[in-house]
């Protein structure tokens, strides 16, 4: 990691940054968790010198207290990993951002004229399989689903490049593109290009490779429909849209490696951060209305059955904020409180 730091200097868990002479992030976690929701919360803010403050409160689905070293399903933060691999391949000349994906893939769900850039930025018009998947997962299927089969009767939302609509299917197609042009399963490409070089020991693509299990979560869809579900939902292979497991430490290292030039060139980073009116770039978003002034924050968020998470990087102070909860509740309140804590002092 370019010699930036030897290791993370964790402040005392119960006091957050208080042990380092600053205010407590722990109180932020406790305040958010005390809103009456099930489960716990974890938030970690890490400065550029490696000093990290931790707030952790509540329990996982088994009643075990949450810990700072928890691993969890990071949902759509996976897309940033996939986007980095794609940008690396663009740098290597494997394809161009504005190449027609049909030159490399024969996928009937990809309309003619869809480009790599449009997949990355959700301007392809390809329908999102997730609304269908949420219905299927509530029925507690015994086997993994085929995301592409779920949209076989759907029509494109718009012609390629003529609109913007978030679609997880775009990143499944990018996973197919990675496989087609590297000859590797996408999990192997992500591991060889990102995970192993950075030493991300808690990070892997679930359903495609083994790894430490995620913190047990309350299986619910509080933001997408009524009531919890009571079964284990199957994970399918090559889920390059939302299938990764990671930890706060690993996500901090990953974000820093994007912005310090370890993973992508300056030109590629400029492309990734060229956001549209919705704040979406190429696999990474810009926070359009941060709760404090004079900050520039990029990152991604993730939501799966029972998990919500966010991974953010502030470019001026080079500070990361990683937060998660093992429930289906939004953690927008935790995100805003953590940003206020980090940048209003």
């Amino acid at each position: 990691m370019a010699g930036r730091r030897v290791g993370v200097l964790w402040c005392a868990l119960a006091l957050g940054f208080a042990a380092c002479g600053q205010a407590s992030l722990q109180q932020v976690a406790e305040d958010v968790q005390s809103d009456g929701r099930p489960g716990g919360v974890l938030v970690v803010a890490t400065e550029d010198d490696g000093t990290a403050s931790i707030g952790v409160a509540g329990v996982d689905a088994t009643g075990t207290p949450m810990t700072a070293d928890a691993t969890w399903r990071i949902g759509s933060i996976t897309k940033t990993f996939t986007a980095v691999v794609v940008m690396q391949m663009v740098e290597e000349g494997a394809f161009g951002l504005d190449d027609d994906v049909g030159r490399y893939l024969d996928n009937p769900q990809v309309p003619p004229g869809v480009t790599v850039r449009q997949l990355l930025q959700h301007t392809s018009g390809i329908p999102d399989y997730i609304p269908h998947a949420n219905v299927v997962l509530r029925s507690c299927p015994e086997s993994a689903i085929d995301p592409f089969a779920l949209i076989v009767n759907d029509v494109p939302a718009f012609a390629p490049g003529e609109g913007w609509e978030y679609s997880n299917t775009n990143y499944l197609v990018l996973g197919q593109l990675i496989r087609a042009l590297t000859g590797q399963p996408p999990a192997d490409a992500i591991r060889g290009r990102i995970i192993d070089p950075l030493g991300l020991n808690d990070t892997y693509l679930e359903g495609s490779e083994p790894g430490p299990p995620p913190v047990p979560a309350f299986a619910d869809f509080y933001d997408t429909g009524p009531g919890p579900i009571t079964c284990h939902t199957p994970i399918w292979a090559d889920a390059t849209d939302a299938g990764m497991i990671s930890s706060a430490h690993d996500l901090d290292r990953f974000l820093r490696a994007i912005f310090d030039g370890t993973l992508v060139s300056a030109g590629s980073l400029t492309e990734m951060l060229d956001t549209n009116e919705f704040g979406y770039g190429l696999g990474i978003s810009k926070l359009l209305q941060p709760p404090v002034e004079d900050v520039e924050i990029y990152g991604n968020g993730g939501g799966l059955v029972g998990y919500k998470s966010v991974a953010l990087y502030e470019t001026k102070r080079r500070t990361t904020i990683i937060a998660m909860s093992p429930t289906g509740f939004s953690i927008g309140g935790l995100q805003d409180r953590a940003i206020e804590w980090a940048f209003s002092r």
Side-chain angles (χ1 to χ4, degrees), residues 2 10 18 22 29 39 50 61 63 102 110 182 186 193 195 208 255 263 266 284 288 298 300 332:
W10 299 100
Q22 299 178 5
V110 181
T182 66
R193 291 169 174 268
I195 296 174
S208 297
L255 285 177
L263 288 177
I284 198 164
L288 295 179
Y298 293 91
N300 218 333

Side-chain angles (χ1 to χ4, degrees), residues 43-46 255 310-313 319-323 335 338-339 342-343:
V43 58
V44 180
T46 305
L255 285 177
V310 65
L312 304 175
Y313 181 87
T319 294
T320 65
I321 295 175
I322 317 294
Q335 169 183 303
I339 291 171
F343 303 115

